[in-house]
């Protein structure tokens, strides 16, 4: 049995000053009317706001300076990330590029790709999304059918991607494509490409979600030509590349803070002398959040030290997602009802409604709870 | 340092505590030889080092929990710490500690302690009862107290102690009653963590060994997922307990200990539930060792305040810092 490890992290000196800097920035910009809190990290993109964040040096924070990065530690990035999330700032547009696409290019991309894409990502000028899922391939990702065929000077790609979040506002999609046979095993033969979403043959169609919002899309790829220099990493290494960054993708504060604003709204609604129901609920949520943050920070520290705590990350996501979903379920039962005020928007009710409607997505995106539990079980030696 | 302490305690307890010892202790015997070994290895002095004491004590408690050690380890550790802080002599042997509950009542006046404490661990086996009353730390001779028998769900002595008379020694209390309650809750969090760790190991091993329908039950997804959930609970508890240990003597001790007791207490109930489900009828027998762990989990989550008690108190503090103050509080702590 593999014991799960959560080493104590050490925040670098200056982390708290950085935290204050982020808080000041958010307060100043909010006072100017640049932004207002809305949604969770996956909704409400605001490309202008993302550019502002880029100007602060808070995108690509850990990347080398020569590629527009700022060579700060992963724990400093953690501090910035959690402050942005808790405030409800609209960071969706640059989220994927900062967390996934940029690090992928940095790790396996060519020198030309690094120079071309990373500085622009870090400035908040270009945005990426992820084209992995397909109509017949969700959890079982290796079964994808979008096909890439080698041609003179590049590849021709044909297929259909679904649930591509924010493809309609992004410039590129890191797209997973089958380019070879499933040999020697079924994980072989997949490759990742940087797909220019304006390229001929790419069609993006909106898919409205149950809340009526347009966040994700369908992407039709009809014989799209991608030059050789749009392949990321080695042909056939796609699966290895996709799975090697899972600890980054599953352990961050976005995996347990999606409904933080509702918790804050519940505290607000409870007043300074809350009844026992509200006090018990908020106290219990704070205890859960405290432990989750401790786990997540610990993983950030281990990642910074060059380790790959994939199992621990799966724990954080599964527990964190359950926590995020419990908040609206409990809040609706314990929140004292407010007196209806004609014409006024009640902030608690608004956030609560949004959280209930968004809840189902939490335990699906980024790996379903069933898949995560399977990973942990394997770590326990059970498969 | 603390790793070494943990290894020492873990080895000692693993070698010495078996099912037979647990059953005999529950039937009323006191494991004298094991206690001697605990004293000789210096484990009861774990708090002594001013720098690493809290972490060392946490290591001892976690190890004690892992092996369901049937001794007043937590009580003795905390009582010794209290005596030391009060500048009083520390008697050898196991010590009992009071109060343990907000319902306990006591008064110290005119050189006389009068009090009733409802759930004192191992009072009848202790060489001294250490009590905190009316701003004083008092050392009481158990022979001069009225002790009514009682046990928690795990069969650990939890006795009703009535005292009316002069203590053997007294000094001004260096801490408030809340601090003692906090330290008690912290000790239970570490004990629960240890017991959950072993419970998970026992259940995971069993799932790989037990064959039904021609294959190990651990191949069944439902069993895998219950064990995964259990591992998550243990992981969250480990981090919550560590955060509390790091802050036990700090400004944010209340926050950190409340979170640990709430989180570990909730996890304890879930871990016990999953473990028993995975282990089937054999785990429900007296013959199997599982219940020595799970009955302790069910007991310890109730001691020094249930999850609900701590949650309400924490929730009230959260209300005072307010929605805008909550995040700054958590990130400062
Ligand atoms: C809001 C949102 C945004 C998303 N954004 C993107 C994006 O930007 N890019 C992208 O590529 N994808 C995106 N996705 C897709 C997401 O990755 C998939 O939804 C997810 O991988 C699950 O696939 P599926 O929806 O096809 O469900 P399925 O895989 O069909 O699963 C359905 C159910 O069966 C369960 N199941 C499947 N296999 C097993 C198994 N072996 N054992 C037990 N249970 C199993 C699942 O856990 C789930 O409960 C997004 C999804 C959502 C909801």
């Amino acid at each position: 049995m593999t014991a799960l490890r959560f080493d104590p992290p050490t925040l670098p000196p200056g982390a708290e000053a950085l935290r204050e800097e982020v808080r000041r920035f958010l307060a100043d910009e909010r006072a100017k009317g640049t932004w207002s809190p809305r949604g969770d990290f996956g909704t409400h993109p605001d490309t202008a706001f993302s550019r502002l964040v880029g100007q602060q040096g808070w995108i690509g924070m850990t990347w080398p300076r020569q590629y527009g990065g700022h060579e700060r530690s992963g724990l400093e990035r953690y501090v910035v990330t959690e402050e942005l999330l808790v405030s409800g700032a609209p960071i969706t547009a640059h989220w994927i590029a900062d967390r996934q696409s940029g690090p992928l290019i940095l790790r396996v991309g060519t020198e030309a790709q690094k120079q071309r894409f990373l500085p622009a990502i870090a400035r908040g000028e270009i945005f990426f999304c992820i084209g992995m899922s397909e109509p017949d391939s969700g959890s079982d990702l290796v079964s994808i059918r979008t096909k890439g065929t080698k041609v003179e000077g590049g590849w021709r790609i044909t297929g259909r991607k679904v649930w591509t979040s924010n493809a309609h506002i992004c410039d590129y999609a890191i797209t997973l494509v089958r380019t070879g046979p499933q040999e020697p095993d079924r994980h072989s033969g997949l490759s990742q490409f940087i797909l220019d979403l304006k390229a001929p043959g790419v069609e993006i169609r909106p898919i409205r979600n149950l809340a009526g919002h347009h966040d994700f899309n369908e992407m039709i790829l009809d014989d799209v030509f991608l030059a050789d220099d749009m392949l990321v990493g080695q042909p056939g290494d796609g699966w290895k590349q996709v799975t090697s960054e899972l600890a980054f993708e599953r352990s961050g504060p976005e995996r347990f803070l999606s409904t933080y604003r509702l918790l804050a709204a519940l505290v607000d609604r409870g007043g300074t002398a809350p009844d026992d129901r509200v006090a018990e609920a908020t106290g219990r949520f704070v205890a859960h959040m405290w432990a989750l943050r401790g786990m997540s920070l610990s993983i950030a520290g281990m990642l910074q030290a060059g380790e790959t705590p994939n199992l621990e990350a799966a724990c954080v996501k599964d527990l964190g997602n359950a926590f995020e979903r419990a908040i609206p379920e409990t809040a609706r039962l314990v929140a004292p009802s407010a007196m209806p005020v004609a014409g006024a928007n009640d902030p608690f009710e608004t956030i609560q409604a949004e959280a209930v409607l968004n809840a189902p997505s939490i335990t699906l995106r980024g790996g379903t709870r069933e898949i995560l539990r399977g990973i942990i079980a394997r770590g326990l030696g059970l498969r | 340092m603390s790793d070494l302490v943990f290894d020492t305690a873990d080895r000692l307890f693993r070698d010495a505590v078996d099912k037979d010892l647990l059953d005999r202790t529950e039937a009323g015997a006191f494991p004298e030889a094991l206690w001697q070994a605990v004293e000789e290895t210096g484990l009861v002095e774990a708090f002594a080092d001013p720098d690493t004491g809290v972490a060392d004590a946490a290591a001892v408690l976690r190890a004690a929990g892992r092996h369901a050690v049937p001794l007043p380890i937590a009580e003795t550790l905390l009582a010794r710490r209290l005596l030391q802080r009060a500048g009083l002599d520390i008697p050898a042997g196991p010590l009992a500690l009071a109060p343990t509950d907000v319902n306990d009542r006591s008064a110290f006046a005119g050189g006389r302690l009068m009090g009733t404490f409802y759930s004192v661990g191992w009072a009848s086996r202790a060489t001294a009862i250490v009590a905190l009353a009316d701003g004083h730390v008092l050392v009481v001779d158990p022979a001069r107290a009225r002790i009514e028998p009682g046990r928690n769900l795990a069969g650990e002595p939890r006795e009703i102690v009535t005292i009316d008379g002069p203590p053997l020694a007294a000094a001004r209390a260096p801490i408030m009653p809340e601090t003692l309650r906090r330290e008690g809750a912290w000790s239970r969090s570490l004990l629960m963590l240890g017991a959950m760790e072993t419970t998970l190991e026992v259940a995971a091993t069993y799932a790989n060994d037990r064959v039904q329908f021609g294959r190990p039950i651990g191949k069944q997804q439902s069993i895998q997922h219950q064990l995964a959930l259990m591992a998550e609970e243990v992981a969250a508890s480990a981090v919550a307990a560590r955060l509390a240990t790091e802050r036990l003597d700090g400004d944010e001790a209340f926050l950190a200990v409340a979170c640990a007791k709430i989180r570990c207490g909730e996890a304890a109930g879930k871990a016990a539930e999953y473990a028993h489900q995975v282990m089937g009828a054999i785990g429900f027998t007296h013959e199997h060792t599982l219940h020595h762990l799970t009955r302790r989990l069910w007991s310890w989550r109730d001691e020094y305040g249930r999850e609900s008690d701590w949650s309400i108190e924490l929730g009230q503090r959260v209300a005072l810092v307010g929605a805008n103050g909550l995040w700054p509080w958590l990130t400062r702590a």
Side-chain angles (χ1 to χ4, degrees):
Chain A
M1 194 177 114
T2 323
L4 297 173
R5 254 182 58 213
F6 288 89
D7 296 347
T10 317
L11 282 178
E16 293 314 309
L18 176 60
R19 185 188 300 287
E20 288 312 315
E21 211 185 304
V22 180
R23 286 180 184 169
R24 235 180 357 256
F25 163 79
L26 289 169
D28 290 350
E29 292 301 324
R30 200 171 160 190
K32 282 192 238 160
T34 316
W35 70 282
S36 60
R38 283 168 69 192
D40 89 356
F41 75 93
T43 60
H44 303 101
D46 180 340
T47 53
F49 186 80
S50 285
R51 258 189 293 282
L52 268 183
V53 175
Q55 281 161 18
Q56 308 308 305
W58 296 335
I59 304 178
M61 283 178 73
T62 61
W63 309 346
R65 275 184 216 285
Q66 64 180 126
Y67 303 124
H70 305 278
E71 300 188 3
R72 303 189 80 152
S73 102
L75 285 150
E76 288 175 301
R77 177 178 180 271
Y78 188 99
V79 165
V80 171
T81 312
E82 68 177 356
E83 292 299 324
L84 291 170
L85 284 165
V86 159
S87 70
I91 48 181
T92 312
H94 68 267
W95 191 258
I96 295 297
D98 178 59
R99 187 185 70 186
Q100 267 164 271
S101 320
L104 173 76
I105 292 170
L106 187 61
R107 199 159 35 87
V108 299
T110 62
E111 185 56 36
Q113 285 169 346
K114 292 180 199 177
Q115 290 182 10
R116 174 170 168 199
F117 296 108
L118 296 180
I121 291 176
R123 287 193 302 267
E125 287 171 10
I126 59 172
F127 305 106
F128 280 68
C129 57
I130 301 172
M132 299 208 288
S133 307
E134 297 182 5
D136 293 329
S137 304
S139 300
D140 184 16
L141 192 59
V142 299
S143 69
I144 56 159
R145 293 208 291 253
T146 294
K147 201 166 164 352
T149 313
K150 188 75 188 85
V151 295
E152 178 69 34
W155 301 76
R156 294 223 159 252
I157 316 281
T158 296
R160 231 170 115 206
K161 295 287 174 184
V162 282
W163 326 129
T164 322
S165 298
N166 298 309
H168 57 299
I169 59 116
C170 285
D171 306 282
Y172 300 94
I174 301 283
T175 306
L176 189 67
V177 174
R178 178 153 289 292
T179 52
Q182 296 192 306
E183 282 162 17
D185 60 46
R186 65 188 296 265
H187 298 112
S188 311
L190 297 174
S191 303
Q192 284 183 297
F193 290 91
I194 301 171
L195 170 72
D196 181 347
L197 295 171
K198 313 268 174 345
V202 179
E203 188 191 341
I204 294 166
R205 298 179 183 162
I207 306 176
R208 288 212 304 164
N209 67 22
L210 65 75
H213 294 150
H214 171 202
D215 292 333
F216 51 28
N217 302 273
E218 177 179 14
M219 292 201 303
I220 318 272
L221 310 178
D222 181 13
D223 203 26
V224 180
F225 176 77
L226 293 181
D228 278 328
D229 62 3
M230 295 302 249
L231 174 76
V232 199
Q234 297 304 309
D237 273 0
W239 183 257
K240 203 173 77 196
Q241 290 168 199
V242 164
T243 49
S244 65
E245 297 264 300
L246 285 177
F248 284 96
E249 291 152 31
R250 290 180 169 160
S251 69
E254 72 273 23
R255 299 309 184 183
F256 61 92
L257 289 175
S258 296
T259 51
Y260 177 80
R261 284 176 56 242
L262 178 56
L263 175 57
L266 179 63
V267 171
D268 215 28
R269 173 62 64 88
T272 49
D275 63 33
D276 279 359
R277 288 199 310 183
V278 172
E280 185 176 348
T282 52
R284 189 179 283 250
F285 283 140
V286 166
H288 275 257
M289 185 166 69
W290 172 256
L292 282 162
R293 178 166 181 264
M295 297 168 87
S296 180
L297 259 172
S298 162
I299 293 179
M302 289 161 76
L303 287 168
Q304 177 66 26
E307 301 179 46
T308 46
N310 284 337
L311 272 187
E312 288 79 359
C315 274
V316 168
K317 182 170 187 303
D318 194 31
L319 270 181
N321 290 169
F323 167 73
E324 292 173 324
R325 296 196 60 167
I327 292 176
E329 290 305 301
T330 300
R332 65 176 269 275
L333 297 176
V334 304
S337 47
M339 297 293 279
V341 184
N345 250 344
D346 174 13
F348 174 83
E349 298 294 343
T350 308
I351 302 173
Q352 165 74 13
E354 189 181 273
V356 168
L357 294 176
N358 199 47
S361 74
I362 290 175
T363 41
L364 296 173
R365 63 186 182 197
T368 69
R369 56 158 69 120
E370 289 73 20
I371 295 304
L372 297 169
R373 289 172 194 172
I375 290 169
I376 299 166
R378 199 183 310 131
L380 295 174
L382 289 166
R383 284 152 61 128
Chain B
M1 181 61 194
S2 304
D3 287 348
L4 198 70
V5 173
F6 176 80
D7 290 342
T8 307
D10 193 52
R11 198 167 328 110
L12 170 66
F13 297 149
R14 189 175 48 229
D15 293 346
V17 181
D18 58 13
K19 169 99 178 118
D20 184 51
L21 182 89
L22 284 164
D23 286 339
R24 276 189 292 121
T25 311
E26 218 177 310
F30 186 81
E32 210 48 75
L34 178 57
W35 180 263
Q36 289 308 325
V38 170
E39 283 205 337
E40 277 158 23
T41 40
L43 294 179
V44 293
E45 292 148 39
F47 267 120
D49 187 313
D51 295 326
T52 64
V54 177
D56 291 346
V60 174
L61 290 166
R62 184 177 143 228
R66 283 179 73 87
H67 301 283
V69 176
L71 286 172
I73 305 257
E75 289 73 8
T76 304
L77 280 171
L78 294 178
R80 290 179 69 104
R81 177 175 219 218
L82 184 52
L83 291 171
Q84 191 189 344
R85 284 165 154 182
L88 290 166
D89 287 342
I90 300 177
L95 302 177
L97 186 63
T100 65
D101 191 272
V102 285
N103 295 314
D104 289 348
R105 289 285 168 265
S106 62
F108 179 63
R112 221 178 150 77
L113 171 64
M114 276 168 299
T116 307
F117 306 101
Y118 288 97
S119 181
V120 182
W122 305 85
S124 54
R125 294 292 180 171
T127 50
I129 299 169
V130 178
L132 187 64
D134 277 333
H136 288 78
V137 177
L138 307 156
V139 182
V140 177
D141 180 358
R144 316 244 334 240
R146 190 153 66 91
I147 300 176
E148 295 167 58
R151 288 175 178 276
N152 65 14
L153 291 174
E156 295 180 304
R158 294 291 185 263
E159 295 156 334
I160 303 178
V161 174
T162 313
I163 298 167
D164 184 0
L168 298 172
R172 286 230 151 262
I175 58 168
M176 304 289 282
E178 300 88 86
T179 308
L180 190 62
R181 177 173 151 82
R182 252 191 340 247
E183 293 185 355
W186 166 80
S187 75
R188 292 308 185 262
S189 303
L190 267 306
L191 288 169
M192 286 191 276
L193 169 62
M196 281 188 272
E197 287 173 343
T198 311
T199 304
L200 175 61
E201 284 166 21
V202 169
T205 305
Y206 185 79
N208 273 334
D209 293 345
R210 171 73 174 168
V211 173
Q212 286 294 283
F213 299 100
R215 54 185 194 151
I217 57 167
K219 299 272 179 218
Q220 304 287 354
Q221 196 172 57
S222 166
I223 299 292
Q224 292 179 349
H225 286 193
Q226 291 186 65
L227 289 167
L229 286 168
M230 204 171 150
E232 291 174 11
E233 293 297 313
V234 178
S237 300
V239 171
R242 168 170 61 74
L243 295 174
T245 300
E246 290 166 356
R247 290 162 180 77
L248 189 66
D249 290 336
D251 293 343
E252 300 298 347
F254 167 77
L255 172 68
V257 171
C259 288
K261 189 65 169 57
I262 294 164
R263 195 61 194 87
C264 295
E266 184 177 325
K270 290 183 177 170
E273 181 179 339
Y274 295 134
H276 278 292
Q277 189 61 24
V278 166
M279 304 215 31
I282 192 78
F284 192 61
T285 61
H286 194 269
E287 192 59 31
H288 201 281
T289 53
L290 180 65
H291 66 87
H292 290 293
L293 296 160
T294 54
R295 285 188 295 133
R296 279 175 170 75
L297 290 174
W298 290 320
S299 300
W300 292 337
R301 64 183 178 163
D302 285 351
E303 294 178 356
Y304 288 105
R306 299 160 295 179
E307 299 95 276
S308 51
D309 302 318
W310 284 103
S311 294
I312 289 173
E313 213 178 314
L314 177 55
Q316 286 164 346
R317 303 262 188 124
V318 168
L320 290 180
V321 299
N324 291 330
L326 173 58
W327 184 253
W329 183 29
L330 298 182
T331 48
R332 191 172 56 238

